[in-house]
Amino acid sequence: MPRYIALIDGEAGAHGGVFPEAPGCTAMGVTLDEALRNAGEAIAEWVSDEEAAGRAAPVARPVEAIRADPEVAEAVAEGAVLTVVPLVVDSGRPARVNVSLDAGLLAAIDEAAAARGLTRSAFLGSAAREKIAAG
């Protein structure tokens, strides 16, 4: 799974992120955490749009190469932070899997999913996305 580097900056109430390798791809959030969560969605949407337009997604560069970029170095010097954002792009088609879970855990998953109005699959998918995004 490719991982892209985002530059996140801002102040209380307004945070934003950009991707040096993805021109025009931005993520916003009222809080830093919200901007970080939105960064995963932003890069996935940007890559999907690029592929729909017949362009290949850029190869994710190592963090050392990103840090060596003078514009990135300047942004970091001004307070921006670098963060790693995993790329998870939906294929648009479901896939069946067979997993084994403890019966008690499965009951807790079903209860939590029902409380949120989700199916078991939707709940597990969203939990997996959150875990992947958290690194």
Side-chain angles (χ1 to χ4, degrees):
M1 161 180 34
R3 288 169 166 72
Y4 288 91
I5 304 298
L7 279 163
I8 308 284
D9 66 1
E11 54 191 47
H15 294 274
V18 297
F19 293 83
E21 298 164 306
C25 181
T26 60
M28 303 297 179
V30 173
T31 65
L32 180 59
D33 284 342
E34 185 179 27
L36 291 170
R37 278 192 310 274
N38 291 341
E41 294 174 19
I43 192 66
E45 191 172 307
W46 187 88
V47 167
S48 292
D49 289 348
E50 287 295 295
E51 290 173 350
R55 295 182 293 268
V59 174
R61 293 183 292 163
V63 69
E64 295 80 16
I66 300 284
R67 281 191 181 132
D69 182 315
E71 290 180 18
V72 171
E74 181 180 339
V76 169
E78 293 174 359
V81 294
L82 296 176
T83 187
V84 177
V85 180
L87 175 63
V88 180
V89 178
D90 289 333
S91 69
R93 62 178 175 78
R96 250 189 174 326
V97 296
N98 184 19
V99 297
S100 297
L101 300 170
D102 179 84
L105 176 59
L106 186 59
I109 289 169
D110 288 343
E111 184 179 318
R116 291 167 177 79
L118 299 172
T119 64
R120 178 189 292 164
S121 294
F123 181 83
L124 290 172
S126 66
R129 280 182 189 283
E130 289 176 16
K131 190 71 170 176
I132 290 167

